[in-house]
Amino acid sequence: MPSKAAGAAEAIGFPVVLKIVSPDILHKTEAGGVVLNLRDAKAVAIAADKLVASAHAAHPGAHIDGFLVQEMVSGAEADVGAREGGRSGPILVGGA
């Protein structure tokens, strides 16, 4: 799997972000499942091995489907969520 991730990163272009893909790990960052700003194929392959180790340390027995390779972008990040609040009505939440 690490070699496939490295190949995907080369196809996308560097730098990239690498994320673990697992249905058993909902919060990837908290499980050590995300690495930012990888600048070459060797760094991606090394990071992939480390992601698997971190994921299994945080969630023993978790099934790992592979990796998500994404273009690294910079800028502002925002979180937006909505929920039905029962008697209070709809709720919209935002954060930076």
Side-chain angles (χ1 to χ4, degrees), residues 12-58:
I12 291 171
F14 295 98
V16 297
V17 176
L18 188 65
K19 299 177 183 179
I20 200 86
V21 176
S22 171
D24 303 318
I25 304 173
L26 298 179
H27 301 287
K28 312 292 189 242
T29 302
E30 292 173 14
V34 179
V35 180
L36 305 175
N37 206 26
L38 298 167
R39 299 198 166 269
D40 59 47
K42 183 177 179 182
V44 172
I46 291 168
D49 287 331
K50 289 181 181 179
L51 286 182
V52 171
S54 295
H56 283 304

Side-chain angles (χ1 to χ4, degrees), residues 65-79:
D65 289 332
F67 305 98
L68 176 62
V69 181
Q70 296 177 307
E71 176 186 8
M72 179 81 188
V73 296
S74 60
E77 186 173 325
D79 242 353

